[in-house]
Amino acid sequence: MDARPTTRITAPHDESPSSGTRPRVPYTGVHSVVRRFLEPAQDTLVVLLALVLLGVMIRILMMLGADLISPQLSFSVVVAGVLFLLVLVELQRLLLIYLREHHVSVDVMIEVTIVGVLREVLLLNPIEMDPLQLLALTAFVLALGVLLRFGDIRAPQRRIRYHGATPDARSRGTRRSSSPSD
């Protein structure tokens, strides 16, 4: 007879909640290694995207300046450029939120989509649009607005980071002092 102890491999749901121990899964070491290398790589890509967006925003601003001083000022071109710049600013904000909190903010994505759709409607001239297409775009923007207003997608207050603020100072708007007496 074999006197070696037998070990039983258990799934996480097999562990009893009263024992208080988590089962060891052999591949969790791989997860930490992958996270250690992939997260900085993703952050680097997001920073590069943010820099590219900044360059595009500067280019759009220069084009808007050239359009404003040109003798044939086109109102629709200026409005389209300004709205495109607003979309880029919102995308930049989305990237910065991702860098800070490591998640994509759905409410900012909805705001970007609303501004982008409104920009396209203004460019297509709503007077000349097919009524059914205009109705569909209107329903889409209204649905996004309702989702933004009444959907529970906003970041909860507890997730908003107050750098250097104490919990009771948040409500007063004061910052914690960095003196050693605290």
Side-chain angles (χ1 to χ4, degrees), residues 97 101 103 105-107 152-160:
I97 289 171
E101 300 178 8
H103 84 278
S105 178
V106 177
D107 57 337
D152 193 17
I153 58 173
R154 297 248 179 215
Q157 191 68 17
R158 68 181 181 278
R159 276 190 13 211
I160 298 173

Side-chain angles (χ1 to χ4, degrees), residues 8-59:
R8 182 174 161 238
I9 298 175
T10 60
H13 57 79
D14 289 343
E15 200 63 38
S16 67
S18 61
S19 69
T21 60
R22 271 183 96 163
R24 305 282 287 159
V25 181
Y27 58 84
T28 55
V30 173
H31 289 180
S32 66
V33 170
V34 169
R35 283 187 68 177
R36 186 176 30 196
F37 292 114
L38 283 183
E39 282 186 4
Q42 287 176 337
D43 288 348
T44 304
L45 287 175
V46 171
V47 167
L48 290 175
L49 280 173
L51 290 174
V52 167
L53 274 179
L54 184 64
V56 171
M57 285 190 284
I58 291 171
R59 183 174 178 198

Side-chain angles (χ1 to χ4, degrees), residues 97-181:
I97 289 171
Y98 176 79
L99 280 175
R100 185 177 56 233
E101 300 178 8
H102 285 276
H103 84 278
V104 177
S105 178
V106 177
D107 57 337
V108 175
M109 288 176 54
I110 291 175
E111 292 169 359
V112 169
T113 305
I114 290 172
V115 173
V117 169
L118 292 177
R119 175 188 179 267
E120 290 301 316
V121 167
L122 287 176
L123 285 177
L124 294 175
N125 194 0
I127 295 173
E128 298 174 1
M129 286 179 68
D130 178 38
L132 191 58
Q133 184 181 12
L134 189 60
L135 185 64
L137 286 173
T138 303
F140 181 62
V141 169
L142 285 175
L144 288 174
V146 166
L147 182 63
L148 187 63
R149 173 64 177 98
F150 297 110
D152 193 17
I153 58 173
R154 297 248 179 215
Q157 191 68 17
R158 68 181 181 278
R159 276 190 13 211
I160 298 173
R161 303 194 198 295
Y162 292 92
H163 297 287
T166 59
D168 53 38
R170 289 180 199 157
S171 60
R172 293 191 311 261
T174 58
R175 297 184 63 82
R176 180 177 59 196
S177 84
S178 57
S179 67
S181 63

